[in-house]
Amino acid sequence: MAQKIVSNRVKEYEGYLDYNYRPTKEDLVCEYFIQPAKGISLEGAAQRVASESSIGTWTDIDTLSQKMFNELSPKIFFVDKKRGVIRIAYSKELFEESNVSQILSSVAGNVFGMIDVDKIKLMDIDFPESFIKHYRGPYYGVEGVRKIMGVKHRPFVGTIVKPKIGLSESSHASVAYQAWVGGCDYVKDDENLTSMSFNNFYNRVNLTLKAMSKAEKETGEKKAYLPNVTAPFKEMKKRAEHVISQGGEFVMVDVLTLGWSAVQELRNMDLNVVYHGHRAMHAAFTRDPCHGISMLVVAKFCRLIGIDQLHIGGMVGKMYEGKEEVKSVGEAIEQKVVKQNLATHRLKEEWHDLKSMIAVCSGGLHPSKVAPIIHGMGRDVIIQAGGGIHGHPRGTIAGATAMRQAVDAEMQGYTAQEYAKTHSELKEALEKWDKPIANKKVNTKTRIIKRK
Ligand code: CAP
Ligand code: MG
């Protein structure tokens, strides 16, 4: 039997604009930068994005009723044509509240491949109040980490054992020991060091934690070792449990290469360890200012699922990023109520009872970078240097001492140069690294994106 042709279908890519709409606390709001494809207006592109990220598809369909559309269609309530910025409010019914993967598959999924947009970047996301309350967030957070470490006010100094990969278990433990006695609070594995033929995870953990106890006794300071437990889930859990059985209180996870679900599951096991989140791979989608997902969004999901301390950028180091951007992400992970800021693409956010994460600054850092980091990020920060410690002219112990001296200088109100007059390790580090780097142009301007 021939079917009747229905004429009152919901039109594809229409009906999503609603400038009078004011998002409620229960909406999920996304800010996108969009550069539409040729021949498509910003509003047109925005409607396509709203549709593809929720209930629609490229054509009208018989199965989408007007009633369903009225109940579920997201609302584009803000369009800034000059900047190419739009905001969409989604009904929370479109999401499974505890399923990060589903949320991302919606608002950060197909939209990146649509031919109707040349570029699109998810700049920020504001979660519904009930979602925030549903997640457990960091177990320790800034306060918890300070309590474990017994360090009340100053920033933490950390190092990454270098070379990234190549040392045996005993050499690794020995380098770690030198870093701790030199003055580091933290020593961590690098992002690509897991369990290698020449450096087995379990042996490395045993030897390095032993070296840590020795350093603690000798220095009278609490120290932390952050072994990289990144692995397929079952093995990762086994590795984390091994760390705990040996007295370790911290583990490191490569959040993005592991995947959200694995990290969320590990955190929800209540192993009572501090989770240090490395963000390896983030630049594949954060680096382009006009396309991908911002670090702010990555960081907010990390806080939601319970990372305690997260790499957010070196600010003045070797990686590509804007200073203001790093600062803004730092504020978003530390504050309870985050204020909206159009210049840094930040939406407002209320974190309710979720604890804050401590920012980790890393990448090309050395003692003369310490002051600008503290000025920009405040004292709740872990300043990590790999090359900037092991590359000291007199090696790791002196390198760690110099980094710690740079922090002490700042805490006591001296410049690094002043403090170096009476501290030889710092002096030698500054002589080696405190030079302007030729031909290196770092764009530290706030990245307000202009449309072509
Ligand atoms: C730093 C580092 C960090 C990167 C990335 C490295 O070593 O260990 O992984 O900085 O961190 O392997 O390069 P150096 P982030 O101190 O020797 O540069 O994601 O925070 O940018
Ligand atoms: Mg590294």
Side-chain angles (χ1 to χ4, degrees):
M1 196 177 76
Q3 290 207 336
K4 217 174 110 196
I5 296 171
V6 185
S7 57
N8 62 343
R9 287 185 186 171
V10 174
K11 275 259 174 78
E12 75 275 12
Y13 305 151
E14 274 186 22
Y16 294 95
L17 289 166
D18 186 350
Y19 293 125
N20 293 323
Y21 187 76
R22 292 286 159 269
T24 72
K25 282 187 167 188
E26 283 307 298
D27 286 339
L28 184 145
V29 177
C30 286
E31 181 178 294
Y32 293 95
F33 165 79
I34 298 179
Q35 194 176 293
K38 208 166 169 220
I40 295 183
S41 67
L42 183 61
E43 285 104 329
Q47 301 220 66
R48 286 160 166 80
V49 169
S51 162
E52 188 62 37
S53 57
S54 59
I55 53 174
T57 186
W58 59 275
T59 181
D60 61 276
I61 46 174
D62 199 27
T63 43
L64 176 63
S65 67
Q66 188 65 53
K67 184 172 176 284
M68 201 191 293
F69 184 86
N70 294 346
E71 281 169 12
L72 292 178
S73 64
K75 307 203 169 26
I76 303 159
F77 63 95
F78 176 92
V79 175
D80 182 337
K81 290 191 185 166
K82 223 170 112 199
R83 296 167 193 246
V85 171
I86 65 138
R87 293 189 187 137
I88 307 178
Y90 296 85
S91 151
K92 72 170 187 172
E93 309 304 326
L94 291 162
F95 307 101
E96 186 185 351
E97 59 189 8
S98 57
N99 191 336
V100 165
S101 311
Q102 188 270 345
I103 298 170
L104 283 164
S105 295
S106 304
V107 299
N110 290 2
V111 295
F112 296 117
M114 295 177 82
I115 51 174
D116 297 326
V117 296
D118 277 350
K119 298 248 182 190
I120 172 166
K121 188 158 181 173
L122 174 58
M123 304 305 291
D124 197 7
I125 185 165
D126 174 21
F127 303 108
E129 185 172 322
S130 56
F131 281 26
I132 301 264
K133 290 187 172 163
H134 195 85
Y135 286 83
R136 300 166 75 186
Y139 185 83
Y140 287 94
V142 179
E143 290 314 312
V145 167
R146 284 207 175 277
K147 208 164 158 199
I148 291 182
M149 296 304 289
V151 173
K152 282 204 180 120
H153 302 299
R154 68 168 168 84
F156 295 101
V157 174
T159 193
I160 315 101
V161 172
K162 298 278 172 179
K164 285 172 184 277
I165 229 169
L167 299 178
S168 67
E169 299 94 336
S170 56
S171 304
H172 183 101
S174 157
V175 173
Y177 168 79
Q178 291 172 48
W180 280 314
V181 294
C184 282
D185 305 294
Y186 284 78
V187 173
K188 66 178 272 298
D189 293 350
D190 224 323
E191 69 282 349
N192 53 345
L193 178 67
T194 54
S195 199
M196 327 307 294
S197 58
F198 50 85
N199 188 328
N200 173 274
F201 177 85
Y202 296 92
N203 295 341
R204 176 171 81 249
V205 167
N206 297 353
L207 292 179
T208 310
L209 284 173
K210 253 191 213 146
M212 186 180 88
S213 301
K214 189 166 178 264
E216 282 180 335
K217 275 189 203 114
E218 287 173 19
T219 59
E221 289 182 346
K222 175 81 182 161
K223 304 290 183 184
Y225 173 44
L226 284 49
N228 183 7
V229 296
T230 301
F233 188 76
K234 246 169 105 180
E235 177 59 23
M236 173 162 70
K237 177 175 169 263
K238 199 173 140 205
R239 290 181 191 179
E241 282 165 344
H242 180 76
V243 173
I244 297 161
S245 74
Q246 299 302 303
E249 292 163 290
F250 292 71
V251 294
M252 174 175 127
V253 285
D254 290 344
V255 181
L256 296 169
T257 53
L258 270 168
W260 300 104
S261 144
V263 178
Q264 196 177 357
E265 194 64 19
L266 194 69
R267 154 67 180 98
N268 287 345
M269 290 179 77
D270 283 328
L271 297 175
N272 293 352
V273 275
V274 177
Y275 290 103
H276 180 98
H278 195 287
R279 58 177 186 161
M281 199 171 80
H282 76 94
F285 44 85
T286 62
R287 181 168 179 157
D288 187 329
C290 302
H291 191 81
I293 304 171
S294 72
M295 188 55 210
L296 180 58
V297 171
V298 172
K300 285 173 100 170
F301 276 101
C302 286
R303 183 165 177 182
L304 207 59
I305 65 169
I307 293 294
D308 295 282
Q309 39 194 57
L310 178 71
H311 284 235
I312 64 162
M315 209 181 197
V316 284
K318 73 179 182 186
M319 308 304 257
Y320 178 91
E321 60 216 348
K323 216 172 175 177
E324 287 308 313
E325 200 182 349
V326 179
K327 234 170 103 170
S328 177
V329 176
E331 285 165 10
I333 64 171
E334 277 180 9
Q335 291 169 5
K336 213 174 169 70
V337 180
V338 183
K339 284 202 201 112
Q340 186 164 300
N341 181 340
L342 187 58
T344 54
H345 293 277
R346 221 173 50 189
L347 298 168
K348 63 129 188 61
E349 181 76 70
E350 275 190 62
W351 286 104
H352 301 280
D353 290 333
L354 286 202
K355 290 188 179 130
S356 50
M357 291 192 290
I358 185 160
V360 181
C361 287
S362 177
L365 303 182
H366 52 74
S368 55
K369 307 270 183 177
V370 165
I373 288 175
I374 300 175
H375 295 171
M377 305 294 296
R379 288 180 287 106
D380 287 333
V381 66
I382 300 169
I383 307 173
Q384 259 174 207
I389 281 184
H390 311 293
H392 189 280
R394 276 195 286 135
T396 299
I397 298 183
T401 307
M403 270 304 275
R404 183 73 177 266
Q405 288 168 348
V407 169
D408 292 344
E410 188 55 36
M411 295 305 288
Q412 293 167 31
Y414 297 106
T415 65
Q417 287 72 16
E418 284 162 356
Y419 208 67
K421 288 179 189 157
T422 49
H423 295 82
S424 63
E425 292 87 352
L426 182 58
K427 182 169 177 280
E428 289 160 48
L430 296 186
E431 278 164 7
K432 178 165 180 179
W433 289 307
D434 190 24
K435 302 168 187 155
I437 301 169
N439 301 326
K440 194 174 169 197
K441 203 174 158 216
V442 179
N443 177 16
T444 53
K445 268 200 233 143
T446 305
R447 292 203 263 168
I448 301 171
I449 301 150
K450 296 233 166 55
R451 293 175 67 205
K452 274 185 191 163

